[in-house]
Amino acid sequence: MSGLAPAQRSNGQPTLSERADALEEHMMHELEHIVTRSVLFGMADGKIQMESGPALMAKNPGKYMLMGEDPRLPKMPEKPTLIDYFRCRFASTSHLLQSATHALKGGHREKVVLACLLHDIAVVSFIRCDHGYWGAQMIEPYVDEEVSWAVKAHQALRFFPDESTGYKYPDMYVKLFGPDYQPEPYIVEEYKRARNHKHYMTARLICVNDIYSFDPNAKVSLDDFVDIIGRNFKQPKEGLGLDSSPSAHMWRTMLWPSRFL
Ligand SMILES: [Fe+2]
Ligand SMILES: [Fe+2]
């Protein structure tokens, strides 16, 4: 049960959070297997907790732990590609497609366009905090180091203006974080290191092409980038995530986010 529930219990009715918990419990019973939540998922609700295997088995007699795909999620092909993750695992792709379209129309090199297309994949599929670092590691084995380095560095660069490229501190950030927000020292240090890096401009171009004001009417399509992905993203023959690269486990976690182990 949640510790921080809006606990206005009137006349013995369950609270909102109790109802949510009960619904979740009910949905779990409908499934053939026992679905588990990683601790991180609960932390976002302010809870640090996990249920042990035996406790879950006791609550779900006759069922085994889920050790494969989650039937509630879109089915992924046997050998998934980056495009499949775009279609079946990314919660939203319009920001990425708009940024990449902007870069494409600006006549930038394919590596810059790809960096724009992938710069926020961690946000839309995985983890928000430090998304540049996560995103960079996810793609590192499959792209030119210029692309993954730029995705990592945009995490820091987006907080610092660069007049020479016309990049200002985004108004959106003032709205999102308040006027007094200051990036942490590790971000400041990352920015200083990035300034002198040979791929600085690629990372900066991610920021320049980052579309902060989402336009719901912009026409964008993943089809425009299939060839660029084909030429610049090394698709493993076993399927993305089913290979043995240093980041394959991250993709597998997206394939099977509710596996017990
Ligand atoms: Fe970003
Ligand atoms: Fe972005």
Side-chain angles (χ1 to χ4, degrees), residues 95 99 119-120 154 210-212:
H95 172 70
S99 290
H119 77 285
D120 281 340
H154 100 276
D210 215 343
I211 311 291
Y212 291 97

Side-chain angles (χ1 to χ4, degrees), residues 97-221:
L97 293 174
Q98 284 189 30
S99 290
T101 302
H102 205 240
L104 198 60
K105 285 188 180 155
H108 292 292
R109 290 177 298 122
E110 288 199 348
K111 281 177 194 161
V112 173
V113 174
L114 186 70
C116 292
L117 183 68
L118 301 179
H119 77 285
D120 281 340
I121 57 168
V123 169
V124 297
S125 69
F126 208 56
I127 295 172
R128 272 189 172 276
C129 174
D130 272 342
H131 72 285
Y133 297 90
W134 282 106
Q137 281 188 315
M138 286 161 71
I139 61 173
E140 201 168 11
Y142 311 105
V143 297
D144 189 281
E145 54 92 35
E146 177 182 350
V147 176
S148 53
W149 186 87
V151 168
K152 180 183 83 164
H154 100 276
Q155 170 91 38
L157 293 194
R158 68 219 165 101
F159 291 109
F160 301 90
D162 181 342
E163 306 275 314
S164 78
T165 61
Y167 182 81
K168 299 192 191 78
Y169 184 81
D171 294 336
M172 176 63 90
Y173 283 5
V174 179
K175 277 189 208 149
L176 287 173
F177 312 132
D180 300 327
Y181 176 74
Q182 292 290 336
E184 293 89 343
Y186 79 93
I187 290 286
V188 178
E189 290 305 312
E190 189 79 87
Y191 165 67
K192 286 187 202 156
R193 283 193 301 273
R195 267 286 333 137
N196 301 312
H197 194 278
K198 62 178 171 179
H199 297 316
Y200 167 78
M201 201 42 80
T202 310
R204 181 52 80 187
L205 283 171
I206 292 180
C207 305
V208 171
N209 288 287
D210 215 343
I211 311 291
Y212 291 97
S213 46
F214 174 68
D215 175 2
N217 299 316
K219 277 213 162 151
V220 287
S221 165

